[in-house]
Amino acid sequence: MTGGAIPGPDGLPRCPWGLSAEDYTAYHDEEWGRPVHGDDALFERLCLEAFQSGLSWITILRRREGFRRAFSGFGIASVAAFGDADRERLLADEGIIRNRAKIDATLANAKLLADWAPGDLDALIWSYAPDPETRPAPRTLADVPAVTDESTALSKALKKKGVRFVGPTTAYALMQACGLVDDHLADCASRGGR
C-alpha cells in the first residue's frame, strides 16, 4: 500500500491504511493528525505509542478502552499514585498489553510528570512541531517518514528529562497522532483537519 489516497465505501478519499479495518477508518477520520493538547491527553498518547512499540497499532486501538480503565483514564496524578498492588494488577490485566517494561515505564513516567508544572508536557512536546510550511504534503505512503530530525530531538529532550520508552520512532508516531505534523496524504479527505 504505497499509492495515494483511495476512495472508501462512502466515496471519500483516505490514506490507504485508514481503510484497512473499520477501527482504523474511525481513528483516521476523527482523531489521527488532529491537534491534541493537555498534559493528561498527551500522557495517554505517549503511553499508548510506547505500548505499540513492536506491535500493530490496531492491537492498541482495540484495547484502548481497556488501557483507559486500567490506567485511571491516564490522569497523570492518578497513575503517579499507583503502588505495587496496582503494578501487579496491571501485569495480570488481559485488557491491556502485559509487558513488564512498558508498564514500568508508564508508572515511572507518571511519577516523573506529576512533578512537572501544569502545561509543561504540552509545551515541551509542541515546541518540536515543525513549521507546516516547510513540509510538503505526502503524495504516497512512501513519502511518510518513520523518523525526522524533530522526532529525534523530541525523543532526546524527553529522555534528558527522564521520560522512558520514547525513541525517535515512537516520538514521531506521537507527533503524527497528536497533530504536530499532518501526514494525511495530499489527496486525503482528512488532510488539514477537513
Side-chain angles (χ1 to χ4, degrees):
M1 291 195 298
T2 59
I6 56 176
D10 57 3
L12 290 177
R14 290 181 176 85
C15 302
W17 67 265
L19 293 169
S20 62
E22 200 172 298
D23 295 332
Y24 273 157
T25 302
Y27 178 69
H28 170 275
D29 291 359
E30 299 165 17
E31 291 185 62
W32 193 74
R34 308 280 173 125
V36 173
H37 285 282
D39 293 339
D40 289 344
L42 288 166
F43 175 63
E44 174 182 356
R45 301 326 190 281
L46 182 65
C47 294
L48 293 177
E49 294 296 346
F51 273 100
Q52 185 272 330
S53 182
L55 301 171
S56 168
W57 179 246
I58 196 81
T59 302
I60 303 304
L61 198 54
R62 289 180 175 160
R63 293 180 185 215
R64 186 163 54 170
E65 290 309 315
F67 275 107
R68 286 174 172 165
R69 278 190 301 279
F71 287 98
S72 298
F74 288 101
I76 293 171
S78 297
V79 179
F82 282 13
D84 290 339
D86 293 296
R87 182 176 179 272
E88 293 308 311
R89 172 184 57 79
L90 293 167
L91 288 168
D93 191 332
E94 294 181 4
I96 66 169
I97 305 301
R98 295 174 292 171
N99 178 295
R100 184 178 309 273
K102 294 174 182 180
I103 289 171
D104 287 347
T106 300
L107 300 180
N109 289 343
K111 288 181 185 350
L112 173 82
L113 295 171
D115 289 335
W116 289 22
D120 278 359
L121 179 62
D122 188 301
L124 175 67
I125 289 173
W126 276 91
S127 73
Y128 288 89
D131 178 353
E133 299 301 317
T134 66
R135 293 178 48 89
R139 303 218 57 80
T140 70
L141 292 181
D143 297 332
V144 178
V147 173
T148 63
D149 291 344
E150 294 89 358
S151 75
T152 300
L154 173 58
S155 171
K156 286 180 182 176
L158 288 166
K159 285 180 180 180
K160 186 175 181 180
K161 295 219 175 248
V163 178
R164 295 168 44 184
F165 231 102
V166 61
T169 304
T170 298
Y172 193 66
L174 175 73
M175 293 171 79
Q176 291 174 304
C178 295
L180 281 75
V181 296
D182 184 356
D183 277 343
H184 285 285
L185 300 182
D187 52 353
C188 174
S190 293
R191 174 112 188 130
R194 297 185 280 224

